[in-house]
Structures are given as structure tokens and as C-alpha cells.
């Protein structure tokens, strides 16, 4: 896990997490509740074994980054995730092992060098925040979804 850019093909951690959430929503759209607690029915599949550890990590990590992603982990995936932890002893064991490892990382300051991990800006808005929000007029020379340049 790299604490700084680049994040694969994404320039920012936020963009990478938005894409990850988008992919989870695509998977969620494929889940049916027809035959059982697992992603593909009544028996464990490679889909469950592949997605489960990723969701364990995501459930723990998403709250550390405040990007305002509503429903970052879709309800269908969260329902499946909670059900397999509750109903399947092996998944519960894997969950506990992964969480114990993540807790050791946290105890050892693993996330400390990662920009914005667990931090929330609760200070009053600065002059720059107000310009970006459009509360204070500015002579904007360039603006896109990542940059606002003004004089």
C-alpha cells in the first residue's frame, strides 16, 4: 500500500476510491437474493473468496478518509458481507484474522504517513475555502474538477 501518489492510474486517492466504490456498485448490481447467503447462491464461490477480504479492508479503511462518498460500500454488498460473517464460521475466522492484522498495523502507526488518513478538517473556513466555495469573488484564470487558479 503506497501512502502517496500515484494510486495506480489515478492521480489522487479520492479518484481511486471513487472508482473502487463505482466497481463495488457494479458488483452489487449483479447480486441476487435467490438462492443463499453467498454471492452466487447457496455455495461459496470464487466470487465470495475474492471479494470478502477486499470488503473487510474497505469497511475498516473508508471511514479514515472523508471524501463524502455516500454509500461507498453498497447495501447489497454490506448485507452479503454481514451475512457471511454471521452464518459462515470460515468467513468469520478470516474476518477476525484480517482485523487482527489491521489492528496491529494501527497499533504500530501504519497509517500515520498516509496523507489525510483519519484526519478531519474541522477548523473554520479560510479565505481560500471561501473563494473555492464561491462565497468571495475572485478573478478565476483556470478552473477544472481538480484546480482553481485565480489572481
Amino acid at each position: 500500500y503506497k501512502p502517496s501518489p500515484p494510486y495506480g492510474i489515478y492521480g489522487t486517492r479520492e479518484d481511486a476510491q471513487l472508482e473502487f466504490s463505482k466497481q463495488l456498485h457494479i458488483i452489487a448490481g449483479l447480486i441476487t437474493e435467490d438462492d443463499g447467503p453467498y454471492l452466487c447462491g447457496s455455495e461459496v464461490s470464487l466470487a465470495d473468496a475474492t471479494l470478502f477480504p477486499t470488503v473487510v479492508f474497505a469497511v475498516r479503511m473508508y471511514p479514515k478518509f472523508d471524501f463524502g462518498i455516500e454509500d461507498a460500500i453498497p447495501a447489497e454488498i454490506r448485507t452479503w458481507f454481514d451475512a457471511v460473517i454471521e452464518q459462515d464460521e470460515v468467513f468469520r475466522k478470516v474476518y477476525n484474522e484480517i482485523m487482527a492484522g489491521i489492528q496491529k498495523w494501527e497499533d504500530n502507526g501504519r497509517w500515520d504517513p498516509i496523507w489525510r488518513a483519519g484526519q478531519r478538517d474541522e477548523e473554520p473556513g479560510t479565505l481560500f475555502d471561501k473563494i473555492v466555495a464561491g462565497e468571495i469573488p475572485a478573478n478565476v484564470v483556470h478552473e477544472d474538477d481538480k484546480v482553481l487558479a485565480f489572481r
Side-chain angles (χ1 to χ4, degrees), residues 26-80:
I26 291 169
I27 294 168
L30 301 172
I31 297 173
T32 63
E33 299 178 19
D34 298 341
D35 298 327
Y38 303 107
L39 290 172
C40 296
S42 61
E43 294 186 24
V44 175
S45 70
L46 182 57
D48 298 288
T50 303
L51 188 58
F52 185 78
T54 301
V55 175
V56 174
F57 196 76
V59 165
R60 185 64 175 250
M61 291 305 295
Y62 259 115
K64 294 186 175 303
F65 302 94
D66 185 17
F67 294 128
I69 304 172
E70 289 188 35
D71 195 26
I73 300 171
E76 299 87 346
I77 289 181
R78 192 58 200 237
T79 298
W80 157 79

Side-chain angles (χ1 to χ4, degrees), residues 82-141:
D82 292 341
V84 294
I85 291 172
E86 182 181 319
Q87 298 174 24
D88 189 300
E89 182 180 325
V90 174
F91 278 90
R92 189 169 39 257
K93 180 180 178 187
V94 170
Y95 172 80
N96 288 333
E97 288 175 1
I98 294 171
M99 291 303 288
I102 291 172
Q103 187 59 54
K104 284 181 185 177
W105 281 352
E106 289 186 0
D107 293 345
N108 292 328
R110 172 68 174 102
W111 315 122
D112 294 349
I114 299 176
W115 181 67
R116 289 185 64 185
Q119 297 177 2
R120 304 292 183 267
D121 182 2
E122 297 177 3
E123 296 297 318
T126 65
L127 176 68
F128 297 105
D129 293 327
K130 293 176 182 178
I131 291 171
V132 169
E135 297 171 11
I136 296 176
N139 182 4
V140 176
V141 295

